[in-house]
Amino acid sequence: MSQQREFPNWNNLYQERQVETMPWYNPDLDTDLEQALTKLKINTGTVLDLGTEPGTQAIALAKKGFRVTGTDISEAAIIQADSKAKEEGLDITFRQDDIFNSYLNQEFDFVFDRGCFHGFHPDIRQDYVRIVRNLIKPKGYLFLKCFSHLETREEGPYRFKPEQIKEIFGDRFNVISIHETVYQGTLDPLPKALFSILERI
Ligand SMILES: C[S@@+](CC[C@H](N)C(=O)[O-])C[C@H]1O[C@@H](n2cnc3c(N)ncnc32)[C@H](O)[C@@H]1O
């Protein structure tokens, strides 16, 4: 679970492959996020879709009326997401941005991270927690989807147990809930995942 994991060059990946073929491609709003928004009665506000890639989640959130910013380290991904949003007549701010060297200078009502955090090496996780916390309004939320320790495929990102999420985020976030779920996309069977609702302290 803690072995060193390998990741693609994200920019090359998005230049070379159609986003629809990516394992995590899901054109619909993530069902765990949708349920969390319903449960917490959140239906308006500002959102950061962190590691937005094909922009599917940013686009789905904008269609629901949220004011959305989508960022990704890959410029190729941002160009594609931006043109898709424009085709659909949606006003979404897409920008190339590395979360560890971010130009973002606003606080959002919530941040959605679907598959970005679980790619980061353990040594930089606390940097991530500190940076992301500063991008969220007090009492705002981080909705985090990452691979679960129950996922048995060899390849792919780091995996997490609920206790690890509590340990990593617990100093700067109230852990509202963590549940086992799946990561919707193009893989069969769908990878096992954790969905966490974390409230900024
Ligand atoms: C597994 S993909 C998930 C994409 C999207 N959230 C989704 O669910 O379809 C992870 C994304 O995180 C982006 N990413 C990786 N490192 C990043 C960083 N340091 N800052 C911002 N984005 C990053 C990658 O380019 C990639 O698009």
Side-chain angles (χ1 to χ4, degrees), residues 10-11 14 24-26 49-57 71-74 77 97-100 112-118 120 183-184:
W10 294 107
N11 207 43
Y14 296 127
W24 49 87
Y25 181 77
N26 172 25
D49 183 27
L50 173 54
T52 191
E53 196 253 333
T56 52
Q57 302 307 301
T71 60
D72 201 288
I73 197 167
S74 161
D97 192 74
D98 176 356
I99 191 61
F100 294 102
F112 185 32
D113 178 327
R114 182 178 185 270
C116 191
F117 165 77
H118 69 184
F120 299 136
Y183 201 116
Q184 295 91 0

PDB file of all heavy atoms in Angstrom, residues 10-11 14 24-26 49-57 71-74 77 97-100 112-118 120 183-184, ligand 1:
ATOM      1  N   TRP A  10       1.510  13.839 -17.113  1.00  0.00           N
ATOM      2  CA  TRP A  10       0.096  14.160 -17.347  1.00  0.00           C
ATOM      3  C   TRP A  10      -0.094  14.930 -18.645  1.00  0.00           C
ATOM      4  O   TRP A  10      -1.054  14.699 -19.387  1.00  0.00           O
ATOM      5  CB  TRP A  10      -0.466  14.968 -16.171  1.00  0.00           C
ATOM      6  CG  TRP A  10      -0.510  14.180 -14.903  1.00  0.00           C
ATOM      7  CD1 TRP A  10       0.318  14.330 -13.818  1.00  0.00           C
ATOM      8  CD2 TRP A  10      -1.405  13.098 -14.567  1.00  0.00           C
ATOM      9  NE1 TRP A  10      -0.023  13.418 -12.842  1.00  0.00           N
ATOM     10  CE2 TRP A  10      -1.073  12.665 -13.266  1.00  0.00           C
ATOM     11  CE3 TRP A  10      -2.449  12.479 -15.228  1.00  0.00           C
ATOM     12  CZ2 TRP A  10      -1.751  11.623 -12.631  1.00  0.00           C
ATOM     13  CZ3 TRP A  10      -3.136  11.446 -14.600  1.00  0.00           C
ATOM     14  CH2 TRP A  10      -2.779  11.030 -13.311  1.00  0.00           C
ATOM     15  N   ASN A  11       0.817  15.851 -18.928  1.00  0.00           N
ATOM     16  CA  ASN A  11       0.623  16.671 -20.130  1.00  0.00           C
ATOM     17  C   ASN A  11       0.751  15.826 -21.396  1.00  0.00           C
ATOM     18  O   ASN A  11      -0.050  15.946 -22.320  1.00  0.00           O
ATOM     19  CB  ASN A  11       1.618  17.834 -20.146  1.00  0.00           C
ATOM     20  CG  ASN A  11       1.064  19.006 -20.918  1.00  0.00           C
ATOM     21  OD1 ASN A  11      -0.112  19.353 -20.782  1.00  0.00           O
ATOM     22  ND2 ASN A  11       1.880  19.592 -21.768  1.00  0.00           N
ATOM     23  N   TYR A  14      -2.394  13.646 -21.968  1.00  0.00           N
ATOM     24  CA  TYR A  14      -3.566  14.325 -22.528  1.00  0.00           C
ATOM     25  C   TYR A  14      -3.342  14.777 -23.966  1.00  0.00           C
ATOM     26  O   TYR A  14      -4.295  15.041 -24.693  1.00  0.00           O
ATOM     27  CB  TYR A  14      -4.000  15.491 -21.640  1.00  0.00           C
ATOM     28  CG  TYR A  14      -4.467  15.018 -20.281  1.00  0.00           C
ATOM     29  CD1 TYR A  14      -3.941  15.548 -19.111  1.00  0.00           C
ATOM     30  CD2 TYR A  14      -5.418  14.009 -20.179  1.00  0.00           C
ATOM     31  CE1 TYR A  14      -4.348  15.085 -17.871  1.00  0.00           C
ATOM     32  CE2 TYR A  14      -5.829  13.541 -18.937  1.00  0.00           C
ATOM     33  CZ  TYR A  14      -5.294  14.088 -17.794  1.00  0.00           C
ATOM     34  OH  TYR A  14      -5.706  13.627 -16.581  1.00  0.00           O
ATOM     35  N   TRP A  24     -10.424   6.976 -15.456  1.00  0.00           N
ATOM     36  CA  TRP A  24     -11.254   7.756 -14.537  1.00  0.00           C
ATOM     37  C   TRP A  24     -12.331   8.577 -15.259  1.00  0.00           C
ATOM     38  O   TRP A  24     -13.049   9.345 -14.642  1.00  0.00           O
ATOM     39  CB  TRP A  24     -10.369   8.706 -13.704  1.00  0.00           C
ATOM     40  CG  TRP A  24      -9.412   9.479 -14.551  1.00  0.00           C
ATOM     41  CD1 TRP A  24      -9.642  10.664 -15.181  1.00  0.00           C
ATOM     42  CD2 TRP A  24      -8.057   9.112 -14.864  1.00  0.00           C
ATOM     43  NE1 TRP A  24      -8.526  11.043 -15.880  1.00  0.00           N
ATOM     44  CE2 TRP A  24      -7.537  10.121 -15.698  1.00  0.00           C
ATOM     45  CE3 TRP A  24      -7.229   8.038 -14.519  1.00  0.00           C
ATOM     46  CZ2 TRP A  24      -6.232  10.076 -16.200  1.00  0.00           C
ATOM     47  CZ3 TRP A  24      -5.932   8.005 -15.013  1.00  0.00           C
ATOM     48  CH2 TRP A  24      -5.441   9.014 -15.844  1.00  0.00           C
ATOM     49  N   TYR A  25     -12.435   8.402 -16.590  1.00  0.00           N
ATOM     50  CA  TYR A  25     -13.380   9.235 -17.343  1.00  0.00           C
ATOM     51  C   TYR A  25     -14.818   8.909 -16.965  1.00  0.00           C
ATOM     52  O   TYR A  25     -15.282   7.781 -17.106  1.00  0.00           O
ATOM     53  CB  TYR A  25     -13.186   9.050 -18.849  1.00  0.00           C
ATOM     54  CG  TYR A  25     -14.124   9.914 -19.653  1.00  0.00           C
ATOM     55  CD1 TYR A  25     -13.872  11.281 -19.809  1.00  0.00           C
ATOM     56  CD2 TYR A  25     -15.286   9.387 -20.209  1.00  0.00           C
ATOM     57  CE1 TYR A  25     -14.747  12.089 -20.520  1.00  0.00           C
ATOM     58  CE2 TYR A  25     -16.166  10.195 -20.917  1.00  0.00           C
ATOM     59  CZ  TYR A  25     -15.889  11.538 -21.069  1.00  0.00           C
ATOM     60  OH  TYR A  25     -16.750  12.346 -21.760  1.00  0.00           O
ATOM     61  N   ASN A  26     -15.529   9.898 -16.503  1.00  0.00           N
ATOM     62  CA  ASN A  26     -16.927   9.736 -16.105  1.00  0.00           C
ATOM     63  C   ASN A  26     -17.661  11.019 -16.490  1.00  0.00           C
ATOM     64  O   ASN A  26     -17.444  12.051 -15.860  1.00  0.00           O
ATOM     65  CB  ASN A  26     -17.006   9.510 -14.583  1.00  0.00           C
ATOM     66  CG  ASN A  26     -18.441   9.539 -14.076  1.00  0.00           C
ATOM     67  OD1 ASN A  26     -19.371   9.271 -14.823  1.00  0.00           O
ATOM     68  ND2 ASN A  26     -18.619   9.884 -12.816  1.00  0.00           N
ATOM     69  N   ASP A  49     -12.530  22.587  -8.722  1.00  0.00           N
ATOM     70  CA  ASP A  49     -12.355  21.187  -9.137  1.00  0.00           C
ATOM     71  C   ASP A  49     -10.858  21.008  -9.376  1.00  0.00           C
ATOM     72  O   ASP A  49     -10.330  21.448 -10.399  1.00  0.00           O
ATOM     73  CB  ASP A  49     -13.173  20.910 -10.407  1.00  0.00           C
ATOM     74  CG  ASP A  49     -13.085  19.448 -10.838  1.00  0.00           C
ATOM     75  OD1 ASP A  49     -12.863  18.576  -9.978  1.00  0.00           O
ATOM     76  OD2 ASP A  49     -13.243  19.183 -12.052  1.00  0.00           O
ATOM     77  N   LEU A  50     -10.219  20.376  -8.410  1.00  0.00           N
ATOM     78  CA  LEU A  50      -8.750  20.297  -8.392  1.00  0.00           C
ATOM     79  C   LEU A  50      -8.282  19.051  -9.144  1.00  0.00           C
ATOM     80  O   LEU A  50      -8.683  17.940  -8.817  1.00  0.00           O
ATOM     81  CB  LEU A  50      -8.312  20.249  -6.921  1.00  0.00           C
ATOM     82  CG  LEU A  50      -6.849  20.012  -6.601  1.00  0.00           C
ATOM     83  CD1 LEU A  50      -5.960  21.002  -7.296  1.00  0.00           C
ATOM     84  CD2 LEU A  50      -6.653  20.099  -5.097  1.00  0.00           C
ATOM     85  N   GLY A  51      -7.434  19.263 -10.147  1.00  0.00           N
ATOM     86  CA  GLY A  51      -7.035  18.142 -11.009  1.00  0.00           C
ATOM     87  C   GLY A  51      -8.197  17.811 -11.930  1.00  0.00           C
ATOM     88  O   GLY A  51      -8.614  16.669 -12.072  1.00  0.00           O
ATOM     89  N   THR A  52      -8.706  18.843 -12.586  1.00  0.00           N
ATOM     90  CA  THR A  52      -9.996  18.748 -13.300  1.00  0.00           C
ATOM     91  C   THR A  52      -9.947  17.876 -14.547  1.00  0.00           C
ATOM     92  O   THR A  52     -10.949  17.312 -14.969  1.00  0.00           O
ATOM     93  CB  THR A  52     -10.488  20.172 -13.659  1.00  0.00           C
ATOM     94  OG1 THR A  52     -11.814  20.118 -14.118  1.00  0.00           O
ATOM     95  CG2 THR A  52      -9.615  20.838 -14.716  1.00  0.00           C
ATOM     96  N   GLU A  53      -8.762  17.811 -15.164  1.00  0.00           N
ATOM     97  CA  GLU A  53      -8.536  17.004 -16.366  1.00  0.00           C
ATOM     98  C   GLU A  53      -9.620  17.154 -17.422  1.00  0.00           C
ATOM     99  O   GLU A  53      -9.761  18.253 -17.940  1.00  0.00           O
ATOM    100  CB  GLU A  53      -8.317  15.543 -15.964  1.00  0.00           C
ATOM    101  CG  GLU A  53      -7.708  14.691 -17.026  1.00  0.00           C
ATOM    102  CD  GLU A  53      -8.691  13.714 -17.651  1.00  0.00           C
ATOM    103  OE1 GLU A  53      -9.650  13.333 -16.985  1.00  0.00           O
ATOM    104  OE2 GLU A  53      -8.478  13.338 -18.795  1.00  0.00           O
ATOM    105  N   PRO A  54     -10.428  16.134 -17.745  1.00  0.00           N
ATOM    106  CA  PRO A  54     -11.314  16.379 -18.891  1.00  0.00           C
ATOM    107  C   PRO A  54     -12.389  17.405 -18.573  1.00  0.00           C
ATOM    108  O   PRO A  54     -13.185  17.756 -19.447  1.00  0.00           O
ATOM    109  CB  PRO A  54     -11.935  15.005 -19.165  1.00  0.00           C
ATOM    110  CG  PRO A  54     -11.777  14.231 -17.924  1.00  0.00           C
ATOM    111  CD  PRO A  54     -10.655  14.823 -17.135  1.00  0.00           C
ATOM    112  N   GLY A  55     -12.445  17.855 -17.326  1.00  0.00           N
ATOM    113  CA  GLY A  55     -13.418  18.891 -16.967  1.00  0.00           C
ATOM    114  C   GLY A  55     -14.821  18.358 -16.751  1.00  0.00           C
ATOM    115  O   GLY A  55     -15.765  19.135 -16.588  1.00  0.00           O
ATOM    116  N   THR A  56     -14.970  17.038 -16.722  1.00  0.00           N
ATOM    117  CA  THR A  56     -16.325  16.474 -16.609  1.00  0.00           C
ATOM    118  C   THR A  56     -17.021  16.931 -15.322  1.00  0.00           C
ATOM    119  O   THR A  56     -18.202  17.277 -15.344  1.00  0.00           O
ATOM    120  CB  THR A  56     -16.294  14.934 -16.615  1.00  0.00           C
ATOM    121  OG1 THR A  56     -15.362  14.486 -15.638  1.00  0.00           O
ATOM    122  CG2 THR A  56     -15.928  14.385 -17.978  1.00  0.00           C
ATOM    123  N   GLN A  57     -16.283  16.915 -14.228  1.00  0.00           N
ATOM    124  CA  GLN A  57     -16.902  17.264 -12.944  1.00  0.00           C
ATOM    125  C   GLN A  57     -17.161  18.765 -12.856  1.00  0.00           C
ATOM    126  O   GLN A  57     -18.200  19.208 -12.358  1.00  0.00           O
ATOM    127  CB  GLN A  57     -16.021  16.777 -11.780  1.00  0.00           C
ATOM    128  CG  GLN A  57     -15.768  15.278 -11.823  1.00  0.00           C
ATOM    129  CD  GLN A  57     -17.060  14.472 -11.923  1.00  0.00           C
ATOM    130  OE1 GLN A  57     -17.933  14.580 -11.054  1.00  0.00           O
ATOM    131  NE2 GLN A  57     -17.205  13.671 -12.971  1.00  0.00           N
ATOM    132  N   THR A  71      -8.770  23.485 -12.170  1.00  0.00           N
ATOM    133  CA  THR A  71      -7.325  23.620 -12.388  1.00  0.00           C
ATOM    134  C   THR A  71      -6.704  22.246 -12.607  1.00  0.00           C
ATOM    135  O   THR A  71      -7.195  21.230 -12.106  1.00  0.00           O
ATOM    136  CB  THR A  71      -6.618  24.287 -11.187  1.00  0.00           C
ATOM    137  OG1 THR A  71      -6.827  23.487 -10.020  1.00  0.00           O
ATOM    138  CG2 THR A  71      -7.104  25.695 -10.969  1.00  0.00           C
ATOM    139  N   ASP A  72      -5.608  22.260 -13.349  1.00  0.00           N
ATOM    140  CA  ASP A  72      -4.878  21.017 -13.585  1.00  0.00           C
ATOM    141  C   ASP A  72      -3.440  21.375 -13.921  1.00  0.00           C
ATOM    142  O   ASP A  72      -3.178  22.414 -14.530  1.00  0.00           O
ATOM    143  CB  ASP A  72      -5.511  20.226 -14.747  1.00  0.00           C
ATOM    144  CG  ASP A  72      -5.152  18.750 -14.702  1.00  0.00           C
ATOM    145  OD1 ASP A  72      -3.985  18.411 -14.995  1.00  0.00           O
ATOM    146  OD2 ASP A  72      -6.018  17.939 -14.328  1.00  0.00           O
ATOM    147  N   ILE A  73      -2.532  20.482 -13.547  1.00  0.00           N
ATOM    148  CA  ILE A  73      -1.120  20.723 -13.848  1.00  0.00           C
ATOM    149  C   ILE A  73      -0.861  20.639 -15.352  1.00  0.00           C
ATOM    150  O   ILE A  73       0.096  21.220 -15.861  1.00  0.00           O
ATOM    151  CB  ILE A  73      -0.237  19.716 -13.063  1.00  0.00           C
ATOM    152  CG1 ILE A  73       1.209  20.187 -13.029  1.00  0.00           C
ATOM    153  CG2 ILE A  73      -0.361  18.310 -13.619  1.00  0.00           C
ATOM    154  CD1 ILE A  73       2.075  19.435 -12.027  1.00  0.00           C
ATOM    155  N   SER A  74      -1.731  19.934 -16.062  1.00  0.00           N
ATOM    156  CA  SER A  74      -1.548  19.725 -17.501  1.00  0.00           C
ATOM    157  C   SER A  74      -2.234  20.816 -18.309  1.00  0.00           C
ATOM    158  O   SER A  74      -3.460  20.978 -18.250  1.00  0.00           O
ATOM    159  CB  SER A  74      -2.116  18.359 -17.901  1.00  0.00           C
ATOM    160  OG  SER A  74      -2.351  18.332 -19.284  1.00  0.00           O
ATOM    161  N   ALA A  77      -4.700  19.330 -20.843  1.00  0.00           N
ATOM    162  CA  ALA A  77      -6.000  18.985 -20.248  1.00  0.00           C
ATOM    163  C   ALA A  77      -6.877  20.231 -20.131  1.00  0.00           C
ATOM    164  O   ALA A  77      -8.079  20.191 -20.429  1.00  0.00           O
ATOM    165  CB  ALA A  77      -5.797  18.358 -18.867  1.00  0.00           C
ATOM    166  N   ASP A  97      -2.490  24.989 -13.413  1.00  0.00           N
ATOM    167  CA  ASP A  97      -2.025  25.350 -12.079  1.00  0.00           C
ATOM    168  C   ASP A  97      -1.535  24.094 -11.363  1.00  0.00           C
ATOM    169  O   ASP A  97      -2.229  23.075 -11.352  1.00  0.00           O
ATOM    170  CB  ASP A  97      -3.191  25.970 -11.284  1.00  0.00           C
ATOM    171  CG  ASP A  97      -2.744  26.647 -10.003  1.00  0.00           C
ATOM    172  OD1 ASP A  97      -2.150  27.736 -10.065  1.00  0.00           O
ATOM    173  OD2 ASP A  97      -2.988  26.065  -8.910  1.00  0.00           O
ATOM    174  N   ASP A  98      -0.343  24.187 -10.817  1.00  0.00           N
ATOM    175  CA  ASP A  98       0.200  23.095  -9.994  1.00  0.00           C
ATOM    176  C   ASP A  98      -0.167  23.400  -8.546  1.00  0.00           C
ATOM    177  O   ASP A  98       0.212  24.446  -8.019  1.00  0.00           O
ATOM    178  CB  ASP A  98       1.724  23.050 -10.173  1.00  0.00           C
ATOM    179  CG  ASP A  98       2.387  22.018  -9.277  1.00  0.00           C
ATOM    180  OD1 ASP A  98       1.697  21.376  -8.462  1.00  0.00           O
ATOM    181  OD2 ASP A  98       3.616  21.874  -9.400  1.00  0.00           O
ATOM    182  N   ILE A  99      -0.892  22.503  -7.909  1.00  0.00           N
ATOM    183  CA  ILE A  99      -1.379  22.794  -6.560  1.00  0.00           C
ATOM    184  C   ILE A  99      -0.229  23.075  -5.577  1.00  0.00           C
ATOM    185  O   ILE A  99      -0.412  23.793  -4.589  1.00  0.00           O
ATOM    186  CB  ILE A  99      -2.329  21.665  -6.043  1.00  0.00           C
ATOM    187  CG1 ILE A  99      -3.039  22.071  -4.769  1.00  0.00           C
ATOM    188  CG2 ILE A  99      -1.605  20.349  -5.866  1.00  0.00           C
ATOM    189  CD1 ILE A  99      -3.923  23.268  -4.865  1.00  0.00           C
ATOM    190  N   PHE A 100       0.950  22.543  -5.859  1.00  0.00           N
ATOM    191  CA  PHE A 100       2.079  22.790  -4.954  1.00  0.00           C
ATOM    192  C   PHE A 100       2.801  24.110  -5.245  1.00  0.00           C
ATOM    193  O   PHE A 100       3.732  24.487  -4.527  1.00  0.00           O
ATOM    194  CB  PHE A 100       3.061  21.611  -5.008  1.00  0.00           C
ATOM    195  CG  PHE A 100       2.429  20.359  -4.464  1.00  0.00           C
ATOM    196  CD1 PHE A 100       1.966  19.372  -5.319  1.00  0.00           C
ATOM    197  CD2 PHE A 100       2.246  20.201  -3.100  1.00  0.00           C
ATOM    198  CE1 PHE A 100       1.340  18.238  -4.822  1.00  0.00           C
ATOM    199  CE2 PHE A 100       1.623  19.077  -2.589  1.00  0.00           C
ATOM    200  CZ  PHE A 100       1.169  18.087  -3.448  1.00  0.00           C
ATOM    201  N   PHE A 112     -13.341  20.026  -4.706  1.00  0.00           N
ATOM    202  CA  PHE A 112     -13.550  18.612  -5.045  1.00  0.00           C
ATOM    203  C   PHE A 112     -12.239  18.080  -5.604  1.00  0.00           C
ATOM    204  O   PHE A 112     -11.702  18.632  -6.572  1.00  0.00           O
ATOM    205  CB  PHE A 112     -14.675  18.471  -6.069  1.00  0.00           C
ATOM    206  CG  PHE A 112     -15.039  17.047  -6.398  1.00  0.00           C
ATOM    207  CD1 PHE A 112     -14.938  16.039  -5.445  1.00  0.00           C
ATOM    208  CD2 PHE A 112     -15.516  16.712  -7.657  1.00  0.00           C
ATOM    209  CE1 PHE A 112     -15.288  14.721  -5.741  1.00  0.00           C
ATOM    210  CE2 PHE A 112     -15.876  15.398  -7.958  1.00  0.00           C
ATOM    211  CZ  PHE A 112     -15.754  14.402  -7.001  1.00  0.00           C
ATOM    212  N   ASP A 113     -11.747  17.040  -4.972  1.00  0.00           N
ATOM    213  CA  ASP A 113     -10.553  16.354  -5.474  1.00  0.00           C
ATOM    214  C   ASP A 113     -10.943  14.922  -5.776  1.00  0.00           C
ATOM    215  O   ASP A 113     -11.144  14.105  -4.874  1.00  0.00           O
ATOM    216  CB  ASP A 113      -9.430  16.410  -4.432  1.00  0.00           C
ATOM    217  CG  ASP A 113      -8.175  15.666  -4.908  1.00  0.00           C
ATOM    218  OD1 ASP A 113      -8.303  14.661  -5.637  1.00  0.00           O
ATOM    219  OD2 ASP A 113      -7.079  16.083  -4.523  1.00  0.00           O
ATOM    220  N   ARG A 114     -11.046  14.637  -7.054  1.00  0.00           N
ATOM    221  CA  ARG A 114     -11.414  13.283  -7.497  1.00  0.00           C
ATOM    222  C   ARG A 114     -10.190  12.700  -8.206  1.00  0.00           C
ATOM    223  O   ARG A 114     -10.003  12.899  -9.393  1.00  0.00           O
ATOM    224  CB  ARG A 114     -12.620  13.360  -8.426  1.00  0.00           C
ATOM    225  CG  ARG A 114     -13.139  12.021  -8.926  1.00  0.00           C
ATOM    226  CD  ARG A 114     -14.385  12.248  -9.797  1.00  0.00           C
ATOM    227  NE  ARG A 114     -14.989  11.001 -10.203  1.00  0.00           N
ATOM    228  CZ  ARG A 114     -14.665  10.341 -11.320  1.00  0.00           C
ATOM    229  NH1 ARG A 114     -13.741  10.802 -12.130  1.00  0.00           N
ATOM    230  NH2 ARG A 114     -15.279   9.212 -11.623  1.00  0.00           N
ATOM    231  N   GLY A 115      -9.339  12.079  -7.419  1.00  0.00           N
ATOM    232  CA  GLY A 115      -8.238  11.353  -8.027  1.00  0.00           C
ATOM    233  C   GLY A 115      -6.933  12.102  -8.176  1.00  0.00           C
ATOM    234  O   GLY A 115      -6.037  11.627  -8.874  1.00  0.00           O
ATOM    235  N   CYS A 116      -6.814  13.250  -7.530  1.00  0.00           N
ATOM    236  CA  CYS A 116      -5.558  14.012  -7.618  1.00  0.00           C
ATOM    237  C   CYS A 116      -4.682  13.687  -6.392  1.00  0.00           C
ATOM    238  O   CYS A 116      -3.553  13.214  -6.536  1.00  0.00           O
ATOM    239  CB  CYS A 116      -5.899  15.495  -7.703  1.00  0.00           C
ATOM    240  SG  CYS A 116      -4.516  16.548  -8.120  1.00  0.00           S
ATOM    241  N   PHE A 117      -5.234  13.881  -5.201  1.00  0.00           N
ATOM    242  CA  PHE A 117      -4.467  13.658  -3.957  1.00  0.00           C
ATOM    243  C   PHE A 117      -3.834  12.273  -3.903  1.00  0.00           C
ATOM    244  O   PHE A 117      -2.695  12.115  -3.448  1.00  0.00           O
ATOM    245  CB  PHE A 117      -5.405  13.874  -2.755  1.00  0.00           C
ATOM    246  CG  PHE A 117      -4.862  13.334  -1.464  1.00  0.00           C
ATOM    247  CD1 PHE A 117      -3.873  14.012  -0.772  1.00  0.00           C
ATOM    248  CD2 PHE A 117      -5.352  12.133  -0.935  1.00  0.00           C
ATOM    249  CE1 PHE A 117      -3.354  13.501   0.419  1.00  0.00           C
ATOM    250  CE2 PHE A 117      -4.847  11.616   0.247  1.00  0.00           C
ATOM    251  CZ  PHE A 117      -3.849  12.306   0.928  1.00  0.00           C
ATOM    252  N   HIS A 118      -4.551  11.246  -4.347  1.00  0.00           N
ATOM    253  CA  HIS A 118      -4.034   9.881  -4.175  1.00  0.00           C
ATOM    254  C   HIS A 118      -2.818   9.598  -5.066  1.00  0.00           C
ATOM    255  O   HIS A 118      -2.212   8.537  -4.961  1.00  0.00           O
ATOM    256  CB  HIS A 118      -5.140   8.821  -4.335  1.00  0.00           C
ATOM    257  CG  HIS A 118      -5.710   8.639  -5.692  1.00  0.00           C
ATOM    258  ND1 HIS A 118      -6.762   7.772  -5.936  1.00  0.00           N
ATOM    259  CD2 HIS A 118      -5.416   9.194  -6.895  1.00  0.00           C
ATOM    260  CE1 HIS A 118      -7.064   7.800  -7.224  1.00  0.00           C
ATOM    261  NE2 HIS A 118      -6.260   8.655  -7.822  1.00  0.00           N
ATOM    262  N   PHE A 120      -0.167  11.700  -4.952  1.00  0.00           N
ATOM    263  CA  PHE A 120       0.989  12.410  -4.388  1.00  0.00           C
ATOM    264  C   PHE A 120       1.766  11.538  -3.402  1.00  0.00           C
ATOM    265  O   PHE A 120       1.184  10.833  -2.569  1.00  0.00           O
ATOM    266  CB  PHE A 120       0.536  13.708  -3.716  1.00  0.00           C
ATOM    267  CG  PHE A 120      -0.121  14.665  -4.679  1.00  0.00           C
ATOM    268  CD1 PHE A 120      -1.282  15.332  -4.331  1.00  0.00           C
ATOM    269  CD2 PHE A 120       0.413  14.870  -5.947  1.00  0.00           C
ATOM    270  CE1 PHE A 120      -1.899  16.200  -5.226  1.00  0.00           C
ATOM    271  CE2 PHE A 120      -0.186  15.729  -6.851  1.00  0.00           C
ATOM    272  CZ  PHE A 120      -1.350  16.398  -6.490  1.00  0.00           C
ATOM    273  N   TYR A 183     -14.805   3.952  -7.818  1.00  0.00           N
ATOM    274  CA  TYR A 183     -14.349   5.063  -8.639  1.00  0.00           C
ATOM    275  C   TYR A 183     -14.941   4.850 -10.041  1.00  0.00           C
ATOM    276  O   TYR A 183     -14.446   4.017 -10.799  1.00  0.00           O
ATOM    277  CB  TYR A 183     -12.814   5.044  -8.672  1.00  0.00           C
ATOM    278  CG  TYR A 183     -12.191   6.352  -9.042  1.00  0.00           C
ATOM    279  CD1 TYR A 183     -11.398   7.048  -8.148  1.00  0.00           C
ATOM    280  CD2 TYR A 183     -12.393   6.892 -10.307  1.00  0.00           C
ATOM    281  CE1 TYR A 183     -10.820   8.248  -8.492  1.00  0.00           C
ATOM    282  CE2 TYR A 183     -11.826   8.094 -10.657  1.00  0.00           C
ATOM    283  CZ  TYR A 183     -11.042   8.761  -9.748  1.00  0.00           C
ATOM    284  OH  TYR A 183     -10.467   9.953 -10.086  1.00  0.00           O
ATOM    285  N   GLN A 184     -16.011   5.584 -10.352  1.00  0.00           N
ATOM    286  CA  GLN A 184     -16.667   5.400 -11.649  1.00  0.00           C
ATOM    287  C   GLN A 184     -15.730   5.829 -12.771  1.00  0.00           C
ATOM    288  O   GLN A 184     -15.075   6.859 -12.679  1.00  0.00           O
ATOM    289  CB  GLN A 184     -17.964   6.218 -11.735  1.00  0.00           C
ATOM    290  CG  GLN A 184     -19.053   5.786 -10.777  1.00  0.00           C
ATOM    291  CD  GLN A 184     -18.998   6.515  -9.439  1.00  0.00           C
ATOM    292  OE1 GLN A 184     -18.134   7.351  -9.231  1.00  0.00           O
ATOM    293  NE2 GLN A 184     -19.910   6.190  -8.550  1.00  0.00           N
TER     294      GLN A 184
HETATM  295  C1  LIG B   1      -6.695  10.617 -12.112  1.00  0.00           C
HETATM  296  S1  LIG B   1      -6.825  12.173 -12.910  1.00  0.00           S
HETATM  297  C2  LIG B   1      -8.453  12.647 -12.386  1.00  0.00           C
HETATM  298  C3  LIG B   1      -9.085  13.715 -13.242  1.00  0.00           C
HETATM  299  C4  LIG B   1     -10.485  14.226 -12.845  1.00  0.00           C
HETATM  300  N1  LIG B   1     -10.493  14.793 -11.503  1.00  0.00           N
HETATM  301  C5  LIG B   1     -11.536  13.170 -12.971  1.00  0.00           C
HETATM  302  O1  LIG B   1     -11.980  12.654 -11.940  1.00  0.00           O
HETATM  303  O2  LIG B   1     -11.908  12.841 -14.106  1.00  0.00           O
HETATM  304  C6  LIG B   1      -5.759  13.187 -11.869  1.00  0.00           C
HETATM  305  C7  LIG B   1      -5.548  14.586 -12.401  1.00  0.00           C
HETATM  306  O3  LIG B   1      -4.743  15.338 -11.472  1.00  0.00           O
HETATM  307  C8  LIG B   1      -3.874  16.191 -12.212  1.00  0.00           C
HETATM  308  N2  LIG B   1      -2.725  16.574 -11.380  1.00  0.00           N
HETATM  309  C9  LIG B   1      -1.681  15.776 -11.039  1.00  0.00           C
HETATM  310  N3  LIG B   1      -0.806  16.479 -10.277  1.00  0.00           N
HETATM  311  C10 LIG B   1      -1.317  17.729 -10.119  1.00  0.00           C
HETATM  312  C11 LIG B   1      -0.875  18.890  -9.439  1.00  0.00           C
HETATM  313  N4  LIG B   1       0.291  18.917  -8.780  1.00  0.00           N
HETATM  314  N5  LIG B   1      -1.654  20.001  -9.472  1.00  0.00           N
HETATM  315  C12 LIG B   1      -2.835  19.988 -10.174  1.00  0.00           C
HETATM  316  N6  LIG B   1      -3.289  18.916 -10.859  1.00  0.00           N
HETATM  317  C13 LIG B   1      -2.554  17.789 -10.828  1.00  0.00           C
HETATM  318  C14 LIG B   1      -3.494  15.350 -13.432  1.00  0.00           C
HETATM  319  O4  LIG B   1      -3.034  16.111 -14.515  1.00  0.00           O
HETATM  320  C15 LIG B   1      -4.808  14.630 -13.726  1.00  0.00           C
HETATM  321  O5  LIG B   1      -5.579  15.331 -14.672  1.00  0.00           O
END
